[in-house]
Amino acid sequence: MEYKNVKIHKVRFIEPGNLPYRKSLKNLYMYDKYIRTPSIGLLTLATIVNQRDYDVFMYSESISKIKWNDVLDADIVFIGIFTFNANRGYELAEYIRKNSEAVVVMGGLHASMNYPEACGHCDYVLLGEADESILELLDTLENNKAVDFPGVAYKENDKIINTGWRRPPENIDIIPDRDLLYNYQKMAGHNTIWAQVHASRGCPHNCDYCALVRHFGRRVRTRSPQNVVDDIKYSIEFHDKRHHRLAKMLWITDDNFFADRQWAMDVLNAIIDSGIKYQFTVQARYEVGYDDEMLDLLKKAGFTELAMGIEFLEDEAFENYHKKSTYGDIVRSVENIQRHGMRVRGLFIVGADNHEKGVGDRLADFVIEHNICGVLIQSMYFIPGTPVYDTHKDKLIHCDWSKYNGNVVHYPEKISPYDLQLEIIHASRKIYSFRRLIDAIIHKRGTEQLLFVGEYFWQKGVRADLKAQLPYLKKMTEKSGLYQE
């Protein structure tokens, strides 16, 4: 590769949107149509680079359009992608390469785990967590040196070069500077955008479908409790300043906040000692539901709900995908969390190899019977680099990454793609029926009422998108010949 001396002054970061932001009344009540909470990860990298003497700014298509007259004269542009927005990320990268002299660098979960593909659309891919490698890349380019340090992939003479994976960073006490993101303060008043803080990285478990453990590793690394509290205070002030938000809630987005029990308790005690009065939600595995001391602390700190990765309702599915739980474990955990006065939100996956017709009814009945306060239902997802992708890649219908957002994208063992998509639609409609909406308006109060109303309209939008894929899935089901009665 020919290395040119790059004088770097202007650095821009871009978060693509699968559906780029546009003004719409739906943005007031429907999440993830044309609006969503921007990426904390990419904003963290922008903050790291901003500590150097560079002109740094970020755009997110989750909340705004990109100002191209500002981006195209940048010296280097970083684009972060997940699987669902990878296609849009590639489109933006190609546009910049065609219309600008900027060095284009991609990163994020999808680019890292599918770097041979990503390398075809940019100059470099940063692999894994780039807190350290991003500065090393900038120094290397400015000094006209070969990019030979760990954590980078690039294409040279049609050959993919991978310089090796680097150790994950240990010091992650970084508070993202939200003011670096164009229009964020203006858009923060939307109730469809939640304050977010990411307090730890990594997960000790090894579920086959989880890409995050492959990206962040199985060793948990944490921010100091005081640093987390400082970030929480800043995030709350940023979102509430000059705004009258109905949904005053902050989401701690860690993949497994409770993996380091003592640290989690230290963070909760620090929140309590800080005097912060706010509502919090956090993702959780079922095990936390057995920890009464932890649940008491959560309630005291202001946590009103836990978003539990339930995933399946069948012991066979748990075992097949190396998820160490059982149906009985889930039920006992949910009931105990609720006894401590907190809601449980359920995250579900359908399309496991053992799933058949009726899986949607079973899921919906479970949610209603156990008073699960909200749901995310997705078909089994397949991110390159995960075990489930490797075992099922021959069963994928397509690799249109923009459809890897909850749609059925594979040929399941015991139910057709078309019928599985119908099951998801049916479960959503049953949980978020008009009758249950009226019941929520009459009987629920405060945040619970607001959340159900918002999710009712969000789920309507989700179902509309799922329905739009039905003709294609029916065609592919018939074409496969795998599901003859």
Side-chain angles (χ1 to χ4, degrees):
M1 173 179 277
E2 189 176 314
Y3 303 99
K4 59 181 181 180
N5 188 22
V6 180
K7 180 61 179 176
I8 298 175
H9 170 66
K10 188 174 183 178
V11 183
R12 292 296 179 260
F13 290 79
I14 295 178
E15 179 189 17
N18 192 9
L19 285 177
Y21 171 82
R22 70 178 178 87
K23 290 184 177 180
S24 171
L25 289 175
K26 293 180 179 180
N27 295 339
L28 299 175
Y29 59 85
M30 188 182 295
Y31 183 75
D32 204 16
K33 184 67 175 177
Y34 307 116
I35 190 172
R36 60 185 290 136
T37 304
S39 166
I40 290 293
L42 194 61
L43 191 54
T44 298
L45 293 182
T47 301
I48 292 171
V49 174
N50 192 53
Q51 293 170 357
R52 296 280 190 92
D53 189 24
Y54 295 116
D55 171 6
V56 178
F57 207 49
M58 176 175 162
Y59 294 93
S60 171
E61 289 191 311
S62 299
I63 58 170
S64 74
K65 295 183 179 180
I66 298 169
K67 295 181 68 174
W68 285 113
N69 61 338
D70 178 51
V71 171
L72 293 178
D73 67 348
D75 301 304
I76 187 165
V77 179
F78 294 93
I79 302 174
I81 57 173
F82 293 94
T83 297
F84 73 91
N85 65 358
N87 288 0
R88 176 62 176 169
Y90 295 152
E91 179 184 338
L92 296 179
E94 295 292 355
Y95 179 79
I96 295 168
R97 296 176 87 183
K98 182 178 179 181
N99 294 281
S100 169
E101 296 297 318
V103 175
V104 178
V105 183
M106 302 197 82
L109 190 147
H110 185 85
S112 294
M113 300 189 68
N114 201 15
Y115 66 86
E117 175 186 272
C119 283
H121 301 277
C122 61
D123 298 297
Y124 301 99
V125 172
L126 290 178
L127 304 171
E129 299 170 63
D131 304 46
E132 297 166 350
S133 58
I134 193 168
L135 296 178
E136 197 164 356
L137 178 65
L138 291 169
D139 290 341
T140 300
L141 293 177
E142 282 200 292
N143 290 292
N144 195 27
K145 294 181 179 178
V147 180
D148 57 4
F149 55 89
V152 184
Y154 57 89
K155 193 172 185 179
E156 182 177 36
N157 299 326
D158 294 327
K159 181 181 178 181
I160 301 297
I161 307 295
N162 181 337
T163 63
W165 296 85
R166 66 192 297 146
R167 290 175 61 87
E170 295 295 329
N171 179 12
I172 58 173
D173 271 9
I174 303 160
I175 297 178
D177 184 351
R178 293 161 178 86
D179 289 309
L180 290 174
L181 178 53
Y182 175 67
N183 254 13
Y184 195 4
Q185 169 53 221
K186 175 184 174 182
M187 301 300 290
H190 285 71
N191 287 299
T192 42
I193 294 179
W194 287 17
Q196 293 187 356
V197 167
H198 201 82
S200 67
R201 304 180 193 176
C203 177
H205 300 284
N206 200 31
C207 304
D208 285 357
Y209 44 81
C210 181
L212 295 170
V213 71
R214 275 86 202 170
H215 188 69
F216 291 113
R218 296 184 66 182
R219 190 171 65 83
V220 177
R221 289 156 291 125
T222 60
R223 294 167 64 182
S224 65
Q226 187 57 51
N227 184 258
V228 175
V229 168
D230 290 343
D231 197 359
I232 288 172
K233 288 179 178 178
Y234 168 40
S235 185
I236 290 172
E237 180 186 8
F238 183 88
H239 285 81
D240 288 355
K241 185 169 60 178
R242 297 194 298 273
H243 298 302
H244 179 66
R245 295 170 54 83
L246 296 175
K248 290 181 177 291
M249 183 172 287
L250 185 143
W251 178 19
I252 294 182
T253 58
D254 298 35
D255 309 307
N256 192 345
F257 178 80
F258 305 99
D260 184 332
R261 183 178 186 274
Q262 185 57 57
W263 171 82
M265 295 180 74
D266 290 344
V267 171
L268 295 175
N269 277 312
I271 293 173
I272 294 167
D273 293 342
S274 73
I276 296 172
K277 301 299 180 185
Y278 216 70
Q279 293 187 65
F280 297 94
T281 182
V282 65
Q283 296 176 178
R285 282 176 54 95
Y286 76 93
E287 291 97 337
V288 73
Y290 301 149
D291 191 335
D292 291 321
E293 185 181 6
M294 185 75 76
L295 294 176
D296 287 338
L297 268 183
L298 284 163
K299 180 66 175 176
K300 189 175 179 181
F303 285 75
T304 56
E305 71 172 35
L306 302 183
M308 186 184 295
I310 296 172
E311 270 91 64
F312 311 114
L313 296 176
E314 309 86 18
D315 290 352
E316 180 184 352
F318 288 128
E319 184 176 349
N320 287 345
Y321 297 97
H322 299 104
K323 172 83 172 183
K324 295 181 179 179
S325 57
T326 67
Y327 177 82
D329 292 334
I330 296 297
V331 171
R332 288 191 296 274
S333 176
V334 168
E335 290 175 347
N336 198 37
I337 292 168
Q338 292 170 340
R339 275 194 294 270
H340 280 76
M342 288 177 285
R343 303 184 298 270
V344 176
R345 180 174 300 276
L347 314 177
F348 296 92
I349 298 172
V350 298
D353 289 341
N354 65 299
H355 282 173
E356 301 176 306
K357 287 183 180 180
V359 65
D361 259 327
R362 186 164 64 252
L363 191 159
D365 291 343
F366 176 87
V367 168
I368 295 169
E369 178 184 351
H370 294 281
N371 196 28
I372 303 298
C373 72
V375 300
L376 174 64
I377 308 169
Q378 294 189 307
S379 178
M380 179 65 74
Y381 36 90
F382 304 89
I383 296 176
T386 59
V388 75
Y389 178 87
D390 292 337
T391 56
H392 288 72
K393 57 187 175 184
D394 292 337
K395 297 180 180 180
L396 296 179
I397 300 172
H398 58 75
C399 285
D400 178 356
W401 305 126
S402 67
K403 300 297 187 292
Y404 280 55
N405 60 352
N407 284 283
V408 179
V409 297
H410 76 299
Y411 295 102
E413 289 286 327
K414 298 182 178 181
I415 183 173
S416 74
Y418 174 78
D419 286 328
L420 182 60
Q421 190 95 331
L422 286 176
E423 293 286 334
I424 301 172
I425 294 168
H426 173 67
S428 169
R429 186 186 296 116
K430 190 170 184 178
I431 295 166
Y432 292 95
S433 66
F434 184 72
R435 181 187 62 78
R436 298 194 78 226
L437 172 67
I438 298 302
D439 183 73
I441 292 173
I442 294 172
H443 295 108
K444 294 183 185 294
R445 293 292 181 268
T447 302
E448 287 190 44
Q449 183 188 75
L450 182 66
L451 286 175
F452 193 94
V453 172
E455 289 174 8
Y456 173 84
F457 290 105
W458 169 55
Q459 289 283 338
K460 283 192 73 171
V462 169
R463 292 197 298 273
D465 292 340
L466 292 172
K467 288 176 184 176
Q469 290 299 304
L470 285 174
Y472 171 76
L473 291 174
K474 186 172 186 178
K475 176 182 175 182
M476 299 309 293
T477 294
E478 294 170 349
K479 186 177 179 181
S480 72
L482 297 173
Y483 304 95
Q484 303 298 326
E485 295 292 343

